[in-house]
Amino acid sequence: MKNNEITATGRRKKSIAQVKMVPGTGNITVNGQDVDKYIPFKTLVMDLKQPLVLTKNEKTFDIDIKVKGGGYNGQAGAIRLGITRCLLEYDKNTDQTRDDSYRKILKVEGMTTRDPRVKERKKYGLKKARKAPQFSKR
């Protein structure tokens, strides 16, 4: 790790996010653009910043993210998991049994778990994964 750079990977649906976190002023860049410019929905931006808000680190780190695949929702979820993993890596040397440890704070909120739901594959003879053609008796 050169100059305190922490890296982690987050995944959700078809999206993969590579997150680099360095001490700084709170700037978040996604694929070279500001996060508010890249993701047009305020609720998704709030969602991906949630681990930083819970651990009170909104203005502590500069975060550079490279994300690909999926849509805005999947990408925001992947970024959130990547940021969570960076914070856990940053806090790994502290006592994990304390109530103010990042692991305890984030685990209670369900941030440390990868969401395993992905699109189900299409089956032969069906229109989609489960949707069948209309049945005709005659």
Side-chain angles (χ1 to χ4, degrees), residues 61-100:
F61 298 105
D62 284 343
I63 301 174
D64 184 38
I65 303 156
K66 287 186 174 59
V67 66
K68 60 182 179 181
Y72 292 123
N73 209 342
Q75 287 185 353
I79 291 169
R80 185 175 83 168
L81 183 61
I83 290 172
T84 300
R85 287 179 174 171
C86 281
L87 288 170
L88 293 178
E89 182 68 25
Y90 173 76
D91 194 49
K92 71 177 179 184
N93 294 329
T94 61
D95 184 18
Q96 299 299 316
T97 58
R98 292 181 15 200
D99 286 338
D100 62 341

Side-chain angles (χ1 to χ4, degrees), residues 1-135:
M1 288 190 306
K2 57 183 179 190
N3 56 339
N4 299 336
E5 184 180 279
I6 301 168
T7 59
T9 303
R11 293 184 187 87
R12 173 129 182 6
K13 293 185 177 182
K14 290 276 188 183
S15 304
I16 300 171
Q18 294 174 320
V19 180
K20 288 181 188 168
M21 195 167 77
V22 292
T25 58
N27 296 329
I28 300 177
T29 15
V30 181
N31 292 347
Q33 297 180 22
D34 185 51
V35 69
D36 295 313
K37 204 176 236 186
Y38 185 81
I39 298 178
F41 306 107
K42 297 270 187 260
T43 53
L44 290 180
V45 173
M46 274 179 19
D47 187 42
L48 71 86
K49 288 181 179 178
Q50 207 171 9
L52 297 168
V53 173
L54 289 171
T55 57
K56 299 175 181 69
N57 285 316
E58 300 105 308
K59 304 287 183 198
T60 314
F61 298 105
D62 284 343
I63 301 174
D64 184 38
I65 303 156
K66 287 186 174 59
V67 66
K68 60 182 179 181
Y72 292 123
N73 209 342
Q75 287 185 353
I79 291 169
R80 185 175 83 168
L81 183 61
I83 290 172
T84 300
R85 287 179 174 171
C86 281
L87 288 170
L88 293 178
E89 182 68 25
Y90 173 76
D91 194 49
K92 71 177 179 184
N93 294 329
T94 61
D95 184 18
Q96 299 299 316
T97 58
R98 292 181 15 200
D99 286 338
D100 62 341
S101 74
Y102 290 174
R103 176 165 290 286
K104 225 170 212 171
I105 294 167
L106 295 169
K107 194 157 179 80
V108 167
E109 295 295 323
M111 302 278 173
T112 57
T113 310
R114 185 215 191 277
D115 191 347
R117 296 176 294 173
V118 292
K119 186 173 180 179
E120 192 175 337
R121 71 173 281 273
K122 182 191 176 300
K123 274 71 165 199
Y124 172 79
L126 301 182
K127 291 179 179 280
K128 296 194 315 191
R130 297 182 186 217
K131 184 179 181 180
Q134 185 172 359
F135 175 74

